């Protein structure tokens, strides 16, 4: 017997912003990507796209089981607010004069949204006011908006591809997943071993230690291998299928995909820090380790692809990736973490206040106020 599931059940626990999400271009994009994915025949249905918008900012796959335990339905839950937020990161990234103000305002909003999803209304209200009172809105010219728009489209496609990669490469078959994990682990384990040997020749003990930890992580952590594989699979898929779209070259698509990965990782560490606000002293250090590992794998894998299929683009990719990472750190990540470190101390103090819960008489009033401030 097939389970029947309503939107309410499917989106249970999401802090919905707008139930009537209108994304007419998303379905053709999703169908185009799904059709072009090369997958072996499997005995489970293809994912159905379910767009929504929430403060959670998550794109994920949900599997609905029959009473007998077999998969009856698969839904790809696409949170449009994630793409909006990645667009906000893009605007700060391209803002040559006001990026510090833009990222400060955006970070306050993201902290408030994350606290709101955790039902921490005192702290959410505090940072909602911060967000509302902070300057940082940038108005781009029409030409600049036209320049940024294709990057936003790549982000949207990358987010879909990345999640479909999880389904395609790893979720369909246990044997297929094992083979993919083993193949990538061997490939990237050997790559880090090469880097280690180069550092040994330079007598760089610190570099050897860091790269050895990364190699050990690749050899032992299925999750990080899967994330790296989905990063690279989605990027190469778009490079192969979208080359020339909106005048974007293979290198442009690779850089835009890398920017999407960086933004999604910042949101992930924000979620982790807010989740473990009292016992996560090394979370930013751990983030730096993970994001560097994923960047090294991304660089090596995309470099190898371009070297084989588009060798004239290799130097452009290498230079572009280095410049992109430096600009992202300077205009986004450095200020993002500075504000986050300060906010951790503030949230710890705010947590001493009595928690507001659904049974309090002023819950609805404060809840509506937070939503009004964040959606303004």
């Amino acid at each position: 017997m097939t389970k029947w599931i309503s939107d309410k059940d499917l989106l249970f626990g999401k802090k919905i912003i707008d139930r009537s999400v209108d994304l007419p271009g998303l379905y053709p994009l999703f169908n185009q990507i799904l059709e072009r994915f090369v997958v072996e025949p499997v005995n489970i249905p293809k994912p159905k796209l379910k767009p929504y918008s929430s403060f959670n900012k998550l794109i994920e796959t949900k599997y609905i089981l029959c009473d007998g335990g077999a998969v009856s339905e698969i839904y790809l839950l696409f949170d449009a607010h994630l793409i909006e937020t990645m667009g906000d990161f893009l605007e700060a990234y391209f803002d040559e004069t006001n990026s510090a103000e833009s990222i400060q305002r955006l970070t306050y909003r993201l902290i408030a949204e994350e606290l709101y999803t955790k039902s921490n209304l005192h702290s959410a209200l505090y940072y909602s006011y911060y967000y509302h009172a902070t300057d940082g809105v940038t108005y781009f010219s029409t030409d600049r908006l036209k320049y940024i728009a294709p990057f936003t489209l790549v982000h949207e496609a990358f987010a879909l591809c990345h999640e479909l990669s999880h389904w395609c490469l790893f979720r369909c078959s246990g044997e297929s997943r094992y083979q993919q994990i083993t193949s990538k682990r061997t490939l990237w384990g050997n790559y880090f071993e090469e880097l280690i040997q180069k550092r040994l020749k330079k007598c760089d003990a610190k570099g050897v230690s860091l790269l050895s930890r990364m190699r050990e992580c690749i050899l032992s952590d299925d999750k990080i291998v899967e994330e790296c594989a989905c990063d690279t699979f989605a990027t190469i898929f778009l490079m192969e299928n979208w080359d020339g779209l909106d005048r974007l070259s293979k290198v442009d698509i690779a850089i835009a995909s890398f920017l999407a990965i960086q933004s999604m990782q910042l949101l992930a560490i924000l979620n982790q820090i807010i989740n473990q606000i009292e016992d996560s002293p090394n979370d930013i250090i751990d983030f730096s380790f993970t994001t560097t590992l994923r960047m090294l794998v991304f660089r090596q894998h995309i470099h190898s692809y371009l070297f084989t299929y588009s060798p004239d683009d290799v130097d452009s990719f290498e230079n572009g990736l280095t410049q992109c990472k430096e600009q992202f750190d300077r205009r986004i990540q450095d200020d993002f973490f500075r504000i986050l470190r300060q906010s951790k101390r503030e949230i710890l103090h705010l947590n001493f206040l009595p928690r507001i819960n659904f049974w309090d008489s002023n819950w609805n009033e404060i809840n509506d106020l937070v939503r009004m401030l964040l959606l303004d």
Side-chain angles (χ1 to χ4, degrees):
M1 180 185 297
T2 300
K3 288 180 176 288
W4 179 85
I5 187 164
S6 66
D7 284 355
K8 181 179 179 182
D9 294 326
L10 198 61
L11 301 175
F12 178 77
K14 308 292 186 187
K15 298 291 186 181
I16 301 297
I17 294 173
D18 184 359
R19 295 187 181 277
S20 58
V21 178
D22 183 22
L23 297 170
L26 189 62
Y27 288 95
L29 175 62
F30 174 76
N31 291 330
Q32 177 190 18
I33 293 171
L34 191 58
E35 286 175 6
R36 294 187 181 181
F37 265 48
V38 180
V39 296
E40 61 189 55
V42 291
N43 295 320
I44 60 173
K46 293 181 179 180
K48 297 178 180 179
L49 182 63
K50 179 62 184 176
Y52 69 106
S53 184
S54 82
F55 290 119
N56 303 78
K57 301 180 290 295
L58 289 174
I59 295 178
E60 56 188 329
T61 305
K62 276 197 176 181
Y63 294 79
I64 311 303
L65 304 181
C66 303
D67 288 342
V71 175
S72 64
E73 300 282 353
I74 303 175
Y75 292 91
L76 193 150
L77 306 183
F78 186 91
D79 194 334
H81 191 45
L82 171 63
I83 304 303
E84 294 169 355
T85 300
M86 292 166 72
D88 292 332
F89 278 125
L90 269 181
E91 290 181 3
Y93 175 82
F94 285 112
D95 191 344
E96 299 174 0
T97 56
N98 300 305
S99 60
E101 291 81 3
S102 297
I103 204 62
Q104 181 182 49
R105 178 178 169 84
L106 175 58
T107 305
Y108 286 144
R109 194 197 82 204
L110 294 175
I111 292 171
E113 290 179 353
E114 195 63 41
L115 289 163
Y116 181 70
T117 65
K118 305 295 186 294
S119 298
N120 188 339
L121 288 192
H122 270 310
S123 297
L125 181 61
Y126 180 82
Y127 283 99
S128 297
Y129 276 128
Y130 254 149
Y131 160 68
H132 206 265
T134 302
D135 293 329
V137 179
T138 301
Y139 298 97
F140 288 115
S141 67
T142 302
D143 288 343
R144 178 53 67 91
L145 289 174
K146 286 181 179 179
Y147 178 76
I148 294 175
F151 285 83
T152 304
L153 181 60
V154 172
H155 280 192
E156 190 173 282
F158 178 86
L160 282 172
C161 275
H162 187 276
E163 188 57 34
L164 282 172
S165 298
H166 284 291
W167 168 78
C168 171
L169 294 176
F170 301 104
R171 305 298 191 227
C172 297
S173 161
E175 180 62 25
S176 175
R177 180 180 188 277
Y178 174 77
Q179 291 174 356
Q180 290 287 344
I181 288 285
T182 302
S183 171
K184 300 301 184 186
R185 173 166 287 144
T186 301
L187 177 66
W188 294 329
N190 291 339
Y191 168 63
F192 278 105
E193 183 59 34
E194 291 175 8
L195 294 180
I196 290 168
Q197 293 305 316
K198 290 178 181 178
R199 294 294 177 130
L200 281 170
K201 292 178 180 179
K202 296 179 179 180
C203 299
D204 181 2
K206 187 175 180 180
V208 169
S209 176
L210 178 61
L211 291 168
S212 297
R213 284 179 57 210
M214 290 181 179
R215 181 176 181 274
E216 192 59 36
C217 186
I218 288 291
L219 295 178
S220 61
D221 190 339
D222 285 0
K223 183 177 179 182
I224 193 67
V225 174
E226 181 169 335
E227 289 301 325
C228 288
C230 291
D231 289 344
T232 53
F233 184 88
T235 302
I236 290 174
F237 176 88
L238 293 176
M239 290 166 69
E240 289 182 339
N241 289 279
W242 280 23
D243 186 14
L245 179 72
D246 284 330
R247 298 190 297 277
L248 290 174
S249 66
K250 280 184 169 64
V251 172
D252 292 331
I253 292 169
I255 299 303
S257 297
F258 179 72
L259 281 170
I261 295 167
Q262 293 286 288
S263 297
M264 292 166 77
Q265 286 184 290
L266 286 186
L267 294 177
I269 191 63
L270 174 62
N271 174 277
Q272 179 183 326
I273 288 174
I274 299 299
N275 252 338
Q276 305 169 343
I277 197 71
E278 295 185 13
D279 57 355
S280 54
N282 297 317
D283 39 32
I284 292 177
I285 296 174
D286 293 340
F287 167 84
S288 178
F289 173 82
T290 302
T291 194
T292 302
L293 188 159
R294 286 176 69 173
M295 183 183 73
L296 288 173
V297 170
F298 183 90
R299 181 196 294 271
Q300 186 269 343
H301 207 81
I302 304 304
H303 175 106
S304 296
Y305 168 81
L306 289 172
F307 184 80
T308 303
Y309 298 104
S310 188
D312 291 343
D313 288 328
V314 170
D315 289 342
S316 178
F317 166 71
E318 290 286 348
N319 294 332
L321 188 68
T322 299
Q323 293 171 9
C324 172
K325 179 56 178 169
E326 290 175 353
Q327 185 166 314
F328 187 89
D329 289 353
R330 185 174 67 253
R331 294 186 181 175
I332 295 176
Q333 186 169 296
D334 292 346
D335 283 331
F336 181 89
F337 280 138
R338 176 182 57 79
I339 296 167
L340 208 50
R341 289 188 186 96
Q342 174 186 334
S343 300
K344 282 183 66 175
R345 295 190 293 270
E346 294 172 345
I347 294 169
L348 279 170
H349 290 297
L350 289 166
N351 282 347
F352 286 109
L353 295 170
R355 295 296 288 265
I356 301 171
N357 61 51
F358 183 76
W359 307 109
D360 292 324
S361 58
N362 59 349
W363 186 89
N364 281 324
E365 180 182 352
I366 296 177
N367 181 69
D368 290 344
L369 179 57
V370 172
R371 292 177 70 92
M372 181 195 74
L373 290 169
L374 290 178
L375 294 173
D376 183 44

